[in-house]
Amino acid sequence: MTMAQNPMISVVVPMYNEEEVIDVFFEAITPVLRSLTDNYEIICVNDGSSDMTLPKLIAARNNDPAIKIVDLSRNFGKELALTAGLDFATGDAVVPIDADLQDPPELITEMVQKWRDGADMVIAVRSDRDNDGWFKRKSAELFYRVAGRLSDTGIPDNAGDFRLMDRKVIEALRAMPERTRFMKGIFAWLGFKQAEVTYARPKRAAGTTKWKFWKLWNFALEGIFSFTTLPLRIWTYIGFAVSVIAPAYGSFIVVRTLIFGNDVPGYASTITLILFFSGLNMLGLGILGEYVGRVFMEVKRRPLYLVREAIGLELEKEER
């Protein structure tokens, strides 16, 4: 059969402590894939789970050989777990999806149709996030607004990792070896012919979110510092502004002293200026440190991830 008639579809599912949702996830996604093709694989990446995620995945594979398992040696984080799954995927089309069913599997049918119509990447965009908490909705809205303004690469609003990518897109993605990875930015940078599908984001099918405040904050910083040097460039403008203001303020002080004398010692204003500019220096050093730290991680050239065991997959793909 031709690819359009019976394509190979790979679904990539990063999992970290998802024992509560595994059974319902497979019950939801397997009928969708079977309705599309006889040729599919579900690559589940166990990202160092400490619960029963791995045993439950092995039990599910015993009932369905299309389920394949990449067991990482420890918890590397979702971005690298997703990278591992994409590296092992062999499909003509590859779909990253979360196991919590907040990414509706039935949307894959519409994605495949748009792919068959010629799109290289079909992005799932959340049109309604009412089932997310207020803080998560607002923080996501703020992040996409800030990232969109700062980045040279436009990141679609309310678009996560859930999308369909053609094989040529996956091969282009695998040519990007950076160690600090913000996948949403990488997906946007790739380009290619894109289409969108929209959906209302449902509640988690089971379990609890792993994205707590501190993790979301670090993820946001990763997204900003990984895809733009604008935070560094801003300090050029701040330095220029200070270099203009400082002589002007100094001239004002000299003139005022000559005319009115120096009857006020000025201790408070001096301390205020010292604290203000010291704070600016520390903030500038912190931003510089973020970039230096990323250079440090890159030059070590460690593998992106390590695989303890690949079940149902050949370890022919090198760990990157």
Side-chain angles (χ1 to χ4, degrees):
M1 292 184 179
T2 65
M3 181 271 288
Q5 293 172 319
N6 193 33
M8 174 64 172
I9 297 178
S10 297
V11 173
V12 174
V13 197
M15 293 187 177
Y16 176 66
N17 291 345
E18 295 287 6
E19 63 177 0
E20 296 179 46
V21 79
I22 287 175
D23 293 337
V24 67
F25 171 75
F26 288 127
E27 289 174 3
I29 198 168
T30 302
V32 174
L33 295 174
R34 287 177 177 170
S35 70
L36 291 170
T37 180
D38 297 328
N39 197 15
Y40 68 89
E41 61 181 1
I42 306 173
I43 301 177
C44 301
V45 183
N46 178 42
D47 187 23
S49 298
S50 57
D51 63 358
M52 294 296 291
T53 294
L54 181 59
K56 294 195 76 169
L57 286 175
I58 293 173
R61 172 171 165 75
N62 291 335
N63 296 322
D64 184 357
I67 298 172
K68 302 174 182 180
I69 305 167
V70 178
D71 183 27
L72 300 185
S73 63
R74 63 171 177 84
N75 177 249
F76 285 88
K78 184 183 177 183
E79 304 297 276
L80 295 183
L82 177 56
T83 299
L86 295 175
D87 285 346
F88 277 92
T90 60
D92 301 304
V94 181
V95 181
I97 190 172
D98 288 341
D100 57 16
L101 295 181
Q102 288 193 285
D103 298 333
E106 56 271 17
L107 205 64
I108 296 174
T109 302
E110 188 176 348
M111 289 178 170
V112 170
Q113 185 56 55
K114 287 185 179 291
W115 171 56
R116 284 173 165 159
D117 290 340
D120 298 316
M121 186 185 301
V122 184
I123 305 168
V125 178
R126 302 152 184 162
S127 60
D128 183 348
R129 302 189 63 156
D130 287 345
N131 284 314
D132 285 338
W134 179 88
F135 175 77
K136 190 170 183 180
R137 289 201 312 273
K138 294 303 179 183
S139 61
E141 179 181 332
L142 177 62
F143 168 75
Y144 283 115
R145 185 181 299 123
V146 172
R149 297 292 187 276
L150 295 181
S151 177
D152 296 330
T153 304
I155 300 174
D157 290 349
N158 290 311
D161 297 324
F162 186 33
R163 63 191 65 211
L164 180 148
M165 291 174 284
D166 185 82
R167 170 49 51 184
K168 67 171 75 75
V169 178
I170 296 299
E171 293 305 320
L173 177 63
R174 296 195 70 242
M176 301 175 69
E178 58 254 46
R179 265 63 190 158
T180 52
R181 301 174 76 82
F182 175 61
M183 297 303 290
K184 296 175 184 62
I186 292 176
F187 291 149
W189 185 91
L190 288 169
F192 291 96
K193 185 177 180 181
Q194 299 182 4
E196 292 184 358
V197 295
T198 59
Y199 70 103
R201 186 170 170 84
K203 294 181 179 179
R204 282 184 63 100
T208 58
T209 181
K210 312 304 183 295
W211 291 94
K212 306 302 182 184
F213 171 78
W214 190 244
K215 195 171 183 180
L216 284 170
W217 171 254
N218 288 329
F219 182 69
L221 290 182
E222 194 69 61
I224 292 171
F225 290 122
S226 294
F227 266 83
T228 180
T229 58
L230 187 58
L232 288 175
R233 195 176 305 138
I234 286 173
W235 287 95
T236 302
Y237 302 133
I238 292 176
F240 176 77
V242 170
S243 68
V244 171
I245 294 172
Y249 181 71
S251 299
F252 167 75
I253 294 297
V254 169
V255 171
R256 189 185 68 174
T257 302
L258 291 174
I259 296 174
F260 299 105
N262 188 24
D263 56 339
V264 179
Y267 174 80
S269 60
T270 301
I271 291 297
T272 300
L273 288 173
I274 290 174
L275 291 175
F276 175 72
F277 287 108
S278 296
L280 283 182
N281 284 333
M282 296 301 293
L283 181 59
L285 286 173
I287 290 176
L288 183 62
E290 289 286 345
Y291 286 97
V292 171
R294 281 159 177 76
V295 173
F296 172 69
M297 295 301 295
E298 292 291 332
V299 299
K300 288 197 290 188
R301 306 297 295 173
R302 289 179 180 173
L304 291 181
Y305 57 84
L306 296 174
V307 177
R308 192 183 72 84
E309 186 178 12
I311 303 173
L313 293 158
E314 296 182 7
L315 277 172
E316 58 188 25
K317 300 196 183 288
E318 296 183 0
E319 295 154 334
R320 295 201 289 135

